Amino acid sequence: MIKKIAYPYFKYKTAAHLMRHLRNGPCFIFFISLFFLFPHAVFAGHGDDDYGEDEIAVTVEVRGLGGIEVPAIYKNKEIYLSVANVFDFIKVKNALSHSSDSLSGFYVNQNDVFLVDKTQNRIHFKGKVFQLQPGELIKAESNLYLKLNYFKTVFGLDGTFGFRTLSVVFTSNIELPAITEMKQEQLRKNVSHLRGEMVADTSLKREYPFFHFGTADWAVISTQQSLSADETRLNLGLGGVVAGGETNVSLNAYNDQAFTEKNQYYQWHLVNNDNDFLRQVSAGKIYTQATSSLYAPVVGVQFTNTPTIYRRSYGTYTLSNTTNPNWIVELYVNDVLIDYKKADASGFFTFQVPLVYGYTIVKLKFYGPYGEVRTSQQYISVPFNFLPRGEFEYNASGGIVEDGQNSRFSRTSINYGLSSHMTIGGGYEYLSSVTSGPMMPFVNTSIRLGSRLLLSGNYTYGVMSNGVLSYRLPSSFQVDLNYTDYDKGQTAIYYNYLEERKAIISTPIKFFDMAIFTRLTIDQIVIPGSQYTNTEWALSGSVRRVGWNFTTYASFTQQAEPYAYSILSLSVPLPKKIMFNAQLQYDYLTGMPDFMKFTAETHLFGAGYINLSYQQYFNGNSTNLLLGFRYDFSFARIAFSTLAGTNNTFSRVESASGSLVLDKKTDFLKADYRSSVGRGGIVIEPFLDMNGNGKWDPDEPRVTGMKIRVNGGRVVYNNRDSNIRVFDLEPYANYYVELDRNSFDNISWQIKKRTIKVTIIPNDFIRLEVPVSVAGEVSGQVLVKTRKGQKGQGQIIIGIYDDSVLVARTVTETDGYFSYLGLAPGNYTVRADTQQLHRLNLVSTPQSIPVKFNKTRDGDVVDGLEISLKSELPDTTIVEVGKSAVETIEPKNKPVVADKPVVAGKQEGKAPKDKQAIAGKPVTDEKTNSQPAIEEKRILADKGSYGILVDVYDNMGSAMAVESKLILTYKVPVVIIQKGEDYLVEIIGFTKRDDALALIPKLEKEGYYELLVIKINHAIKE
């Protein structure tokens, strides 16, 4: 016999819940003293020699997963946990038998089946039998409780029970299904972040300030060399907002050059992604995808309806290239950061560029590890451009080329999605300096054949024609073929190519423990009177943290001998966080190495970075030694390097750089060593919304301790003013700010809108005021009258109303306890759901309870509410039922079901042709207009049998439709009972209560939820 806890403490489900209610009272000290001096006295009625079996609720926690409350039994200083509840929490498949005396399923692996058998008092798992001692497996009602140590012995779940916290902490050596599921959900969430598909609770509307100055970058670089004059370069970048548009200016000055406008950069860029006709306007120095060779900036304007947001891709395109070793390379698609990679020991990197819909600009940015200033961004045109069917996109630009001739330039292109697999386009380009013809109309198309083959072609009149084919296998094996034919005599493109043929084969290879990426490139160029063929074969991979690259180059021409060489590069991590790099170049023509290079680099003084490099050139018999140092202060970055070589050659480079960020709205000014111009940020200001109006009123204080997550940027917490700032965000991109609901120690402080979508403004901070509501808590218990008195009733819906408007609802637990946390200050009424009570033939006393929550910093608490339920019918009593039912109605004097129920279709699944009978109303013979003869009726359900009340309807037609479906699906007898204006659909004929309970899970899968088990006290006749 399981005894319920009698001590009042156990109305609170967790220790934290108890502490909340006792924190302001003198009984707190008394309770703590009692708890530590006489811990077992908390359990009612048991001395040291007889602990009995006490049913309690404990918190089960799994590291990395969280915690949940599960039923438990405390017996003889040992804790027993509900096996089904624990397995449900960690997502282990399990099913309880109808008689609740065994639990079966599989643990993690489908082949690792288990059986927890109470009748034999043993556990079967992985072909082994674990015999339990008497009392180590307890059956109570519809649950099995297992002694804690067997969770480790049998299933490898190592649990530690803390009596004073009433918690069990589990650890496992294998990854539990719940952890795996959580990781998969997080991965899908990250992909949603990347694709912009995440659902936010609210969105912050973008603002367009008329004028704002927010960021500045500065840099000074000085170079001294033994073989050339000294050089010093100054750079000043300014970022702001003018007339709602991003305004960036970059000024460059050189000690050996005159200050010219050509060397400066400036652009105004207005973006509105909500305007379908015109989404972007740019003025100043613009970027154009010109066919002509433009080696000077274009000053002009540009218009397009292409959005800046990242649009969902339909595939990928392999992009690989080289830069300096160990540099960080960022990939942008239409100004949205998609991915970043670190180049390997040879500088080789590769990306899978997502092919997005519409006009695509792929941009790469490079960051050096030794304190180098960020290099200029590199634009790459993806040859494929697809649009959804029926979608139209355009891009128009024009201006003056700063080539010394003031050449006039303009280009207009349009694209249209002819189908989901084909996009066509065209336009014209004009450049006044092209002598072969300044007007250059063009047409282009992209075709997708299946999901693996892509074709692209374009023709520019008088200049060139080009075709690209790309084929990709599911294994990521990719072949790209590119052919270009140049018109003879054209001058739009500077070089004198006649033809260009290019083939690229790339694929990843898995070889034992190695992951290798290989790329073979063959590039053939035909010029008047000659032909050049260049090949490159690159292998890149890693073995046990050692990165390596082996690249072979070969060049063939008719005028000279073939030339071929290979470069082997290694990157090896050493102790003390030292990274060692080595390079060796071998010349196949001479049969000798050309050069070798060794570099060691490591962190120094926390934010410092030092590298030492040795270079040996065998052909020139020269040696160089390079020492570099960088230190990142909070306000600036300084770096220097010095190279000393043979023959008294040397060079030195000193640099300093940094930035300023200004936010006038919050009086914020910060110096940083990172670049800031062109980027945006978010400032989050949490405050205590004591009156619940969602606005920051003068008397409401700031809140510290909030934690956030953002899908990008750099989060900085400031405890002095409670502000949270997010730096380095890409402009115009959508970011999702997720507020941690568990940030605060006070559980009354709650955050209603936890995910906020923000569109970034460049060169500015978006101010985000976050109200932290002070939640009130209401709690109580629902009791029901039984033959033995009153007991708590579970699964009763409790509604909380504000002026008759439902603002919250909760459901009572198995012992009738209910609580709800999250009510703003004000007046409310609490009552049981009247519709549910009507279905159950119950009435509540009182019908409603008024409650009031005051405006406090810690949140108000109203507890001790009590609602009593009793049967609406004077001749019925409520009794306990199984886990799926809410109530069972067992009549005392007369049956719940009428003596003459309607039996549609007489159990064969067919509705009778004659008019249906209603309970208590005989069917009239329409032909004779007389009463039919009274016949002996077949008994459908005996007295003492059981049935299931499926649902209640307000019309006969709906009840008959459900009745027919139940008969056809489950082949069971079904009756329709009329009670007043309601029609009850019941399945009858179960000889045992467990037989009725066994059908309930199947009915729940069909969508029937409020299922009631009933006991038949009078025989039901046909």
Side-chain angles (χ1 to χ4, degrees), residues 651-666:
S651 67
R652 291 190 299 269
V653 179
E654 302 89 16
S655 67
S657 61
S659 67
L660 292 174
V661 180
L662 173 65
D663 182 18
K664 292 183 179 179
K665 295 185 290 291
T666 58

Side-chain angles (χ1 to χ4, degrees), residues 115-127:
L115 173 65
V116 181
D117 188 358
K118 173 58 180 173
T119 58
Q120 300 294 327
N121 212 41
R122 63 179 59 170
I123 301 176
H124 299 261
F125 182 52
K126 287 186 176 182

Side-chain angles (χ1 to χ4, degrees), residues 739-752:
L739 310 176
D740 188 356
R741 62 187 300 177
N742 300 317
S743 297
F744 311 112
D745 295 333
N746 191 331
I747 62 175
S748 297
W749 292 2
Q750 294 192 336
I751 304 170
K752 295 181 179 179

Side-chain angles (χ1 to χ4, degrees), residues 58-70 81 85-92 107-108 148 151 155-160 167-180 182-183:
V58 302
T59 300
V60 169
E61 299 178 4
V62 176
R63 292 174 183 174
L65 187 61
I68 191 175
E69 290 184 353
V70 302
L81 298 179
N85 288 85
V86 172
F87 282 1
D88 286 342
F89 176 49
I90 61 177
K91 301 296 178 65
V92 167
Y107 192 83
V108 182
L148 179 62
F151 283 93
F155 302 106
L157 276 174
D158 190 2
T160 303
S167 63
V168 175
V169 179
F170 277 120
T171 58
S172 176
N173 293 328
I174 62 174
E175 186 171 273
L176 300 174
I179 300 291
T180 303
M182 184 177 65
K183 288 182 177 179

Side-chain angles (χ1 to χ4, degrees), residues 781-798:
Q781 193 174 22
V782 174
L783 303 172
V784 63
K785 293 182 178 179
T786 66
R787 296 188 183 121
K788 299 180 180 180
Q790 285 190 328
K791 65 180 292 290
Q793 180 60 50
Q795 299 299 312
I796 296 298
I797 301 172
I798 302 297

Side-chain angles (χ1 to χ4, degrees), residues 771-835:
V772 179
S773 61
V774 183
E777 181 181 8
V778 61
S779 62
Q781 193 174 22
V782 174
L783 303 172
V784 63
K785 293 182 178 179
T786 66
R787 296 188 183 121
K788 299 180 180 180
Q790 285 190 328
K791 65 180 292 290
Q793 180 60 50
Q795 299 299 312
I796 296 298
I797 301 172
I798 302 297
I800 304 171
Y801 298 83
D802 182 4
D803 289 337
S804 301
V805 177
L806 180 66
V807 295
R809 63 187 301 176
T810 184
V811 180
T812 61
E813 300 179 19
T814 55
D815 59 357
Y817 175 82
F818 68 88
S819 67
Y820 181 82
L821 176 64
L823 298 171
N827 297 311
Y828 301 89
T829 56
V830 179
R831 66 172 180 261
D833 185 78
T834 55
Q835 184 176 3

Side-chain angles (χ1 to χ4, degrees), residues 139-155:
K139 177 184 176 181
E141 299 178 355
S142 58
N143 223 334
L144 288 176
Y145 296 85
L146 180 65
K147 194 175 179 181
L148 179 62
N149 63 297
Y150 281 103
F151 283 93
K152 177 183 179 181
T153 303
V154 180
F155 302 106

